[in-house]
């Protein structure tokens, strides 16, 4: 089973303004990028399941020159709200690391 952590040398999350969170997945090289950058596993359904985001508000951008993809989603509540647990969204990426990319 190949996971995000296996094929990426760096994964980070951060605020993209007070209403959005973004993830950057930097693949280990062009081969991993080519194989997984458009994987349906890394789509809106995963972000909905892990973070409760509206799938219609998930955006994914490939950056081939950096062997990376950026996935952004609208927060379910604004940054700094009453239910905020990670003000800067810096720890959100952890849930992605164990996501299986290949069928079992």
């Amino acid at each position: 089973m190949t996971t995000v952590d296996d094929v990426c040398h760096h994964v980070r999350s951060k605020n993209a303004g007070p209403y959005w969170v973004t993830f950057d997945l930097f693949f280990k090289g062009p081969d991993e990028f080519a194989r997984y950058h458009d994987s349906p596993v890394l789509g809106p359904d995963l972000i909905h399941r892990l973070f409760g985001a509206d799938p219609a508000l998930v955006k994914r951008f490939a950056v081939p020159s950096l062997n990376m993809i950026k996935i952004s989603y609208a927060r379910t509540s604004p940054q700094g709200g009453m239910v905020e647990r990670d003000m800067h969204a810096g720890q959100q990426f952890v849930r992605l690391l164990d996501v299986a990319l290949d069928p079992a």
Side-chain angles (χ1 to χ4, degrees):
M1 174 176 69
T2 302
T3 66
V4 168
D5 194 39
D6 294 331
V7 299
C8 291
H9 67 82
H10 188 68
V11 179
R12 67 182 177 196
S13 56
K14 58 189 175 184
N15 285 334
Y19 303 105
W20 288 80
V21 171
T22 192
F23 300 101
D24 298 326
L25 286 74
F26 292 89
F27 291 89
K28 290 181 177 177
D31 294 336
E32 291 86 357
F33 175 78
R35 183 167 182 184
Y36 297 108
H37 81 278
D38 62 352
S39 170
V41 173
L42 296 172
D45 291 336
L46 172 71
I47 304 303
H48 170 70
R49 185 169 44 88
L50 294 180
F51 304 100
D54 180 347
L57 298 176
V58 174
K59 300 177 182 185
R60 183 166 65 175
F61 307 95
V63 185
S65 61
L66 297 175
N67 295 318
M68 65 91 70
I69 60 171
K70 178 178 289 292
I71 302 170
S72 299
Y73 72 90
R75 287 174 168 266
T76 56
S77 63
Q79 176 189 9
M82 292 290 291
V83 297
E84 182 68 61
R85 295 182 65 206
D86 182 4
M87 185 78 123
H88 301 288
Q91 301 301 312
Q92 300 301 309
F93 75 93
V94 174
R95 295 181 191 175
L96 293 177
L97 297 178
D98 292 329
V99 170
L101 297 171
D102 293 323

